[in-house]
């Protein structure tokens, strides 16, 4: 008897839900939305997200220019803060990957924006290798500019990342040698960018950082357009 009542109750519940959902569908404007409107709305959302990422990257580039022109602790901290803010904005755009959109098409700049993991000593010095990286090899890499750094991205291996958010992150924070329990990032000193400071090739490091920031806005501008 209990099983019969249970089955009857479930039938009535499911029937009521179906009836309710059917009524909701008929009573809303959603049933009149066209495929074209859905696509247009999606495109508007994508545009707004890429535009926000671009705008914040422009602010980041300005902060990096200020820091490299006047390398002080305050300007260094400001540049790192703007990196965090710009990275948050870019994070929302990752919802648009793998959808045949501009980030992933044949000209898509995804690998120039967000490639990971990054072999840090491909760019700059790391613990135990003070002369490693493009920055510290002016004989082999005499010129640091946008065309050169783009060409070096993933050159010789997927971890040979030369540009993008993670390259800038490394240039700002340095290698993370802190214990996991400390919950800290890398502790690169701002004096790495001061001539005669804590690391060789300060001016080349500054040039590298500025070029990366410039490329970041270039590639985001491509996505916005």
């Amino acid at each position: 008897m209990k099983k019969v009542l249970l089955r009857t109750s479930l039938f009535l519940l499911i029937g009521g839900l179906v009836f309710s959902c059917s009524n909701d569908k008929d009573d809303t404007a959603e049933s009149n939305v066209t495929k074209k409107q859905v696509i247009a709305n999606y495109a508007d959302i994508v545009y707004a997200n890429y535009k926000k990422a671009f705008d914040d990257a422009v602010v980041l580039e300005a902060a990096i220019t200020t820091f490299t022109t006047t390398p002080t602790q305050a300007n260094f901290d400001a540049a790192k803060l703007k990196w965090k803010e710009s990275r948050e904005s870019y994070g929302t755009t990752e919802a648009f990957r793998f959808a045949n959109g501009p980030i992933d098409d044949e000209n898509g700049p995804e690998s120039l924006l967000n490639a990971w993991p990054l072999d840090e000593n491909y760019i700059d010095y790391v613990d135990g290798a003070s002369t490693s990286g493009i920055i510290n090899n002016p004989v082999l890499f005499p010129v640091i500019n946008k065309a050169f750094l783009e060409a070096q991205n993933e050159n010789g291996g997927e971890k040979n990342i030369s540009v993008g958010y993670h390259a800038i992150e490394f240039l700002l924070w340095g290698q993370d040698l802190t214990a996991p329990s400390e919950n800290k990032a890398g502790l690169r000193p701002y004096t790495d960018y001061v001539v005669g400071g804590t690391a060789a090739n300060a001016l080349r490091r500054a040039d590298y950082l500025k070029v990366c920031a410039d490329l970041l806005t270039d590639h985001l501008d491509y996505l916005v357009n």
Side-chain angles (χ1 to χ4, degrees):
M1 183 65 177
K2 288 182 179 179
K3 289 183 179 180
V4 173
L5 289 173
L6 179 59
R7 283 198 294 267
T8 302
S9 298
L10 286 172
F11 176 78
L12 291 172
L13 176 61
I14 293 170
L17 288 172
V18 170
F19 179 76
S20 175
C21 290
S22 297
N23 283 347
D24 287 345
K25 184 175 181 181
D26 293 339
D27 291 342
T28 63
E30 292 177 6
S31 60
N32 297 320
V33 174
T34 66
K35 180 179 179 180
K36 182 177 181 180
Q37 288 173 313
V38 172
I39 293 171
N41 186 60
Y42 178 80
D44 288 342
I45 292 170
V46 176
Y47 172 81
N49 278 260
Y50 280 133
K51 183 64 166 60
K52 181 66 165 64
F54 169 75
D55 289 344
D56 285 350
V58 169
V59 175
L60 169 62
E61 183 177 2
I64 285 173
T65 297
T66 298
F67 166 64
T68 53
T69 301
T70 309
T72 65
Q73 185 66 57
N75 289 339
F76 195 42
D77 292 342
K80 289 192 284 187
L81 175 62
K82 295 308 177 185
W83 182 91
K84 291 179 181 179
E85 292 174 355
S86 68
R87 181 63 191 172
E88 283 292 315
S89 299
Y90 182 79
T92 66
T93 72
E94 296 201 279
F96 314 126
R97 293 290 316 280
F98 314 114
N100 200 31
I103 186 69
D104 290 314
D105 67 18
E106 60 181 8
N107 298 313
E110 199 280 333
S111 65
L112 296 166
L113 283 168
N114 196 43
W116 180 261
L118 179 149
D119 185 356
E120 296 167 334
N121 68 10
Y122 184 64
I123 295 176
D124 199 2
Y125 76 87
V126 293
D127 188 44
S130 60
T131 60
S132 66
I134 294 170
I135 288 171
N136 298 300
N137 196 338
V139 174
L140 189 59
F141 309 113
V143 178
I144 294 176
N145 58 31
K146 291 197 287 187
F148 168 72
L149 289 190
E150 273 198 341
Q152 298 309 307
N153 197 60
E154 297 185 339
N155 184 19
E158 290 185 354
K159 293 183 180 180
N160 290 345
I161 309 304
S162 58
V163 296
Y165 283 99
H166 297 297
I168 296 172
E169 178 184 15
F170 171 58
L171 288 165
L172 291 174
W173 276 273
Q175 185 182 18
D176 184 3
L177 299 174
T178 62
S181 60
E182 294 183 68
N183 195 29
K184 292 181 179 179
L187 301 175
R188 183 191 291 275
Y190 83 88
T191 47
D192 275 8
Y193 290 87
V194 176
V195 176
T198 46
N201 298 302
L203 294 180
R204 281 174 59 85
R205 186 169 294 106
D207 286 342
Y208 198 117
L209 180 57
K210 286 187 293 185
V211 170
C212 277
D214 196 6
L215 282 171
L216 194 73
T217 54
D218 284 353
H219 296 137
L220 288 168
D221 188 46
Y222 165 82
L223 294 172
V224 170
N225 288 329

